[in-house]
């Protein structure tokens, strides 16, 4: 038989087109398994379509009983095949377009589909989340001190000078844990490792400040003792006043650079008379990464050896301030300039007495879907994070923003996101409108104004003492800040504040309004979104694309999984 005759021949032979042209139309392979110890041949046939109408079949090892494959059709069949291929390509592109539309709709309808609050699986992604801690203090806070402390702090923060003069008197992700609360502490802070060997310090996180500085023994002229003592710059390098970073700190102001030392001095002043004076130092910053490693780099920080006003009062709650503005002097901008991260900052402040949250630098932890974005105003001139506020609504009803507003739906005003401010501040007309709406709602709900509680200017008493803001949900409505941005594709950018976003419960069990009149402070920016209105939101300051974004999050859960870079780039096209 044919199989026995070819038993000693090779099992296969390379098939080729001897003419070197044409198109393979099919391959037939027959494999006969061994039977009773006899081996069988492997037979194959290839069918080729030539350029000329006459087809040719090249056969290898066909058994005599195997019929030959039929010849291919003529030129008409080739034209039909090309038409079929074009149809397949068209269907492919239509399918891709439908998938793209479906993905966009899915992203809008299911913002929480993809989150960054899951366990990190990719050990190559270097991310570490820093926790925000409650303010440390060894002195118990008395009820009579709470309102004064928080309001004085806000006035100090909001009134600080944006220009720091001379001292004749500022593609990884690093994340930090944050602790603190709005009330009664009124502050959030994060931990930072500085120096060599690294030493831990508590720093007040402030998106309204440029310079990161610590109470410093240089030696100290007038300092407050913080929870970890004074920063010792013994192993740090003094920054030369002739370097570009010194000019950035001065922000165009006149300063002297002479003498043998040529140190770079700074002076930050506040509207309430508080001030910090010091000298710039370059020291080692240690950042922990999620894969268990740590990264060390040089960073420019301020060594504050002379504090005035409330900054000089001991014991201090923190060791200094970390500046998180868009200034090139700010710590995230320094890391971005070195190529370590992108200049993106995100923080998530948890509400309630057991608050906290997290803070991160870089864009790997920014959610790929569901973020609401609005453009930053005045970039690059403005260093703070401001946006255009189009309108305010309470329970769906539009309120007045400014005195000269004639169209409630078209009124505009700037508003600043400031993590260094405890409460939210509005210009007098907007504040009066919000206060009137909240007062009317409290009256309808049967709550009584209680003037004896001086925690904040306006407090109300319920049928029984409130334990938390959750208890007052049924009495109050949602306050909405509308940033506009509506078009055929987007529904607009709004920040919805539930009662937790504008109310606190005092230690006396009363509910108080956490939105205040901005006329009490000397503000360059009249409207301020403080910590109280950012609770429960992940707020992102994207200095690469000059935009501010937010999304609701459980801020007690620290993210460890980087978002998809492909999805992030895709969604950024529609942001």
């Amino acid at each position: 038989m044919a199989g026995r005759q070819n038993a000693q021949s090779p099992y296969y032979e390379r098939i080729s087109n001897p003419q070197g042209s044409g198109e393979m139309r099919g391959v037939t392979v027959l494999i006969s398994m061994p039977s009773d110890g006899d081996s069988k041949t492997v037979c194959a046939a290839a069918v080729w379509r030539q350029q000329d109408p006459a087809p040719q079949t090249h056969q290898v090892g066909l058994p005599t009983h195997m019929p030959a494959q039929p010849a291919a059709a003529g030129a008409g069949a080739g034209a039909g095949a090309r038409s079929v291929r074009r149809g397949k390509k068209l269907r492919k592109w239509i399918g891709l377009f439908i998938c793209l539309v479906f993905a966009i709709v899915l992203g809008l309808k299911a913002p929480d589909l993809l989150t960054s609050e899951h366990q990190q699986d990719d050990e190559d992604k270097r991310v570490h989340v820093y926790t925000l801690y409650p303010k440390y203090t060894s002195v118990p806070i008395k009820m009579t001190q709470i309102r004064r402390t928080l309001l004085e702090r806000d006035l100090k923060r909001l009134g600080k000078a944006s220009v720091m003069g001379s001292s004749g008197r500022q593609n990884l992700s690093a994340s930090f844990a944050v602790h603190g609360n709005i009330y009664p502490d009124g502050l959030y802070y994060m931990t930072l490792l500085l120096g060599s060997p690294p030493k831990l310090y508590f720093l007040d996180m402030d998106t309204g400040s440029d310079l990161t500085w610590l109470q410093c023994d240089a030696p100290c002229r007038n300092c407050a003792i913080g929870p970890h003592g004074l920063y010792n710059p013994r192993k740090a390098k003094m920054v030369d006043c002739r370097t570009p970073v010194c000019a950035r700190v001065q922000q165009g102001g006149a300063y002297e650079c002479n003498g043998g030392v040529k140190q770079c001095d700074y002076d930050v002043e506040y509207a309430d008379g508080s001030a910090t004076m010091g000298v710039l130092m370059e020291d080692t910053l240690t950042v922990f990464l999620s894969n268990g490693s740590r990264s060390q780099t040089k960073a420019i920080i301020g060594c504050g050896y002379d504090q005035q006003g409330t900054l000089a009062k001991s014991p201090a709650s923190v060791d200094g301030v970390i500046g998180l503005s868009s200034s090139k002097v700010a710590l995230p901008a320094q890391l971005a300039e070195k190529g370590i991260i992108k200049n993106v900052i995100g923080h998530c402040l948890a509400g309630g007495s057991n608050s906290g949250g997290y803070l991160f630098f870089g864009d790997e932890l920014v959610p790929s879907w569901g973020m609401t974005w609005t453009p930053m105003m005045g970039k690059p001139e403005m260093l703070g994070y401001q946006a255009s506020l189009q309108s305010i609504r309470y329970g769906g009803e539009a309120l007045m923003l400014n005195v000269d507003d004639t169209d409630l739906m078209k009124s505009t005003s700037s508003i600043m996101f400031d993590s260094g401010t405890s409460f939210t501040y509005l210009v007098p007309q907007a504040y009066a409108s919000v206060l009137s709406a909240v007062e009317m709602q409290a009256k309808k709900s049967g709550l009584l104004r209680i003037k004896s509680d001086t925690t904040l200017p306006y407090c109300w008493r319920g049928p029984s003492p409130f334990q938390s803001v959750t208890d007052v949900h049924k009495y109050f409505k949602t306050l909405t800040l509308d940033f506009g941005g509506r078009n055929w594709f987007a529904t607009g950018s709004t920040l919805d504040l539930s009662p937790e976003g504008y109310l606190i419960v005092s230690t006396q069990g009363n509910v108080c309004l956490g939105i205040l009149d901005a006329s009490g402070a000397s503000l360059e920016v009249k409207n301020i979104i403080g910590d109280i209105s950012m609770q429960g939101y992940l707020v992102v300051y994207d200095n690469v694309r000059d935009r501010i974004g937010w999304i609701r999050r459980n801020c007690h859960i620290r993210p460890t999984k980087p978002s998809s870079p492909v999805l992030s780039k895709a969604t950024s096209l529609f942001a």
Side-chain angles (χ1 to χ4, degrees):
M1 295 179 63
R4 296 182 182 273
Q5 294 171 358
N6 295 321
Q8 303 302 320
S9 63
Y11 285 112
Y12 65 90
E13 178 179 338
R14 183 179 181 87
I15 301 175
S16 61
N17 184 2
Q19 283 74 23
S21 62
E23 177 183 53
M24 180 181 289
R25 298 302 304 275
V27 175
T28 302
V29 178
L30 298 180
I31 301 177
S32 300
M33 301 301 294
S35 175
D36 299 326
D38 295 332
S39 61
K40 303 296 182 181
T41 62
V42 177
C43 301
V47 180
W48 299 85
R49 180 176 64 80
Q50 303 301 322
Q51 294 296 338
D52 57 53
Q56 180 179 349
T57 302
H58 179 60
Q59 301 179 349
V60 179
L62 277 175
T64 57
H65 64 275
M66 183 70 183
Q69 296 295 318
R82 287 192 295 272
S83 177
V84 170
R85 287 195 296 272
R86 286 195 296 269
K88 288 182 179 180
K89 289 182 179 180
L90 179 61
R91 288 194 296 271
K92 176 182 177 181
W93 284 109
I94 293 176
L96 290 175
F97 177 78
I98 293 174
C99 290
L100 177 61
V101 173
F102 176 79
I104 295 172
V105 173
L106 186 62
L108 294 175
K109 298 299 182 181
D112 293 327
L113 179 62
L114 295 177
T115 68
S116 58
E117 300 172 354
H118 303 287
Q119 182 65 31
Q120 166 79 344
D121 294 325
D122 185 0
E123 289 301 322
D124 293 333
K125 297 293 186 180
R126 302 176 179 179
V127 182
H128 179 75
V129 181
Y130 290 72
T131 305
L132 299 177
Y133 295 93
K135 289 299 182 180
Y136 168 86
T137 177
S138 59
V139 180
I141 301 177
K142 296 182 180 180
M143 190 60 208
T144 56
Q145 297 174 330
I146 293 175
R147 176 173 174 269
R148 182 182 66 253
T149 301
L150 298 186
L151 296 185
E152 285 181 353
R153 172 185 181 272
D154 281 352
L155 292 178
K156 175 189 69 176
R157 294 283 182 209
L158 299 178
K160 62 179 176 290
S162 59
V163 177
M164 292 176 282
S166 64
S167 68
R169 249 297 291 163
Q170 164 48 120
N171 312 319
L172 301 172
S173 286
S175 51
F176 309 74
V178 175
H179 282 219
N181 55 61
I182 301 300
Y183 181 84
D185 295 337
L187 300 171
Y188 289 89
Y189 78 87
M190 49 83 71
T191 59
L192 199 69
L193 290 173
L194 195 64
S196 182
K199 182 178 178 180
L200 183 145
Y201 296 96
F202 290 168
L203 298 182
D204 185 3
M205 49 174 285
D206 188 0
T207 57
S209 289
D210 303 338
L211 184 66
T212 297
W213 64 271
L214 292 86
Q215 305 264 2
C216 180
D217 184 12
C220 176
R221 181 185 302 171
N222 190 30
C223 298
I225 304 301
H228 299 100
L230 299 178
Y231 163 63
N232 191 329
R234 183 177 66 252
K235 296 184 179 181
K237 175 184 176 182
M238 188 175 296
V239 175
D240 194 305
C241 59
R242 294 168 295 184
T243 59
V245 68
C246 188
R248 292 173 183 172
V249 170
Q250 310 305 329
Q251 295 185 4
Y255 65 99
E256 295 182 359
C257 185
N258 49 38
V261 179
K262 297 190 181 301
Q263 67 186 31
C264 181
D265 301 307
Y266 70 87
D267 188 5
V268 180
E269 298 181 356
Y270 299 87
D272 67 344
S274 298
T276 176
M277 180 191 301
V279 60
L280 288 189
M281 308 295 294
E282 183 182 63
D283 209 344
T284 302
L285 173 67
T286 301
V287 179
F288 285 96
L289 307 174
S290 63
N291 61 358
S293 65
R294 65 178 182 178
S295 174
Q296 290 187 324
T297 186
K298 295 296 183 180
I300 304 299
I301 56 101
C303 169
Y305 56 80
D306 188 0
Q307 278 62 246
Q308 302 296 326
T310 56
L311 296 177
K313 292 182 179 180
S314 294
S317 300
V318 293
D319 302 298
V321 173
I322 179 169
L324 302 175
S325 75
S326 59
S327 167
K328 292 185 178 181
V329 181
L331 195 57
Q334 293 186 46
L335 298 179
E337 193 172 18
K338 294 176 180 289
I340 299 175
I341 62 168
K342 290 186 179 180
N343 195 359
V344 177
I345 304 163
H347 62 69
C348 197
L349 307 179
S353 58
N354 184 25
S355 301
Y358 57 87
L359 164 75
F360 62 79
F361 303 154
D363 64 346
E364 287 187 334
L365 295 179
V366 178
S368 303
W369 295 85
M371 292 289 296
T372 298
W373 296 101
T374 190
M376 293 182 187
M377 290 181 61
K379 294 301 176 183
E381 291 78 13
M382 292 183 182
L383 301 180
Y385 301 115
Q386 300 184 41
S388 176
L389 180 62
Q390 299 293 325
S391 65
I392 301 178
R393 298 190 297 273
Y394 188 72
E397 182 179 350
L399 305 179
M400 193 79 70
L401 270 181
N402 298 308
V403 178
D404 56 354
D405 287 338
T406 56
D407 188 340
L408 295 179
M409 301 307 296
K410 293 183 179 179
S411 59
T412 59
S413 184
S414 63
I415 193 165
M416 181 177 183
F417 290 73
D418 188 2
S419 68
T421 303
S422 299
F423 301 115
T424 292
Y425 290 78
L426 297 175
V427 295
Q429 180 61 49
Y431 170 71
S433 298
V434 171
L435 175 61
S436 176
V438 174
E439 274 193 308
M440 185 178 299
Q441 183 62 33
K443 186 176 181 180
K444 288 181 179 179
S445 301
L447 304 183
L448 299 176
R449 169 85 185 279
I450 179 73
K451 295 183 179 180
S452 59
D453 189 342
T454 59
T455 303
L456 288 172
Y458 285 88
C459 299
W460 297 270
R461 183 175 59 196
S464 60
F466 298 113
Q467 300 299 317
S468 69
V469 182
T470 305
D471 299 337
V472 305
H473 264 269
K474 62 181 180 180
Y475 299 107
F476 295 92
K477 298 180 180 180
T478 298
L479 180 67
T480 300
L481 304 181
D482 193 334
F483 295 87
R486 291 176 179 81
N487 52 44
W488 67 273
F489 180 81
T491 57
S493 302
T494 60
L495 179 63
D496 293 325
L497 306 181
S498 61
E500 290 93 341
Y502 61 92
L503 298 170
I504 67 167
V505 171
S506 70
T507 55
Q508 300 181 31
N510 301 313
V511 59
C512 303
L513 181 62
I515 298 178
L516 304 175
D517 189 348
S519 62
S522 301
L523 307 179
E524 293 183 4
V525 180
K526 301 301 182 182
N527 298 305
I528 302 286
I529 297 177
D531 293 339
I532 187 173
S533 299
M534 292 189 280
Q535 293 178 107
Y537 279 100
L538 168 61
V539 181
V540 177
Y541 310 95
D542 187 343
N543 291 302
V544 177
R545 296 186 177 94
D546 291 334
R547 59 182 183 170
I548 305 171
W550 55 88
I551 186 174
R552 282 222 176 259
R553 279 291 182 265
N554 182 350
C555 297
H556 292 291
I557 300 178
R558 295 169 57 184
T560 56
K561 184 177 181 180
S563 59
S564 167
V566 175
L567 292 176
S568 297
K569 290 180 180 179
T571 54
S572 68
L573 298 176
F574 304 97

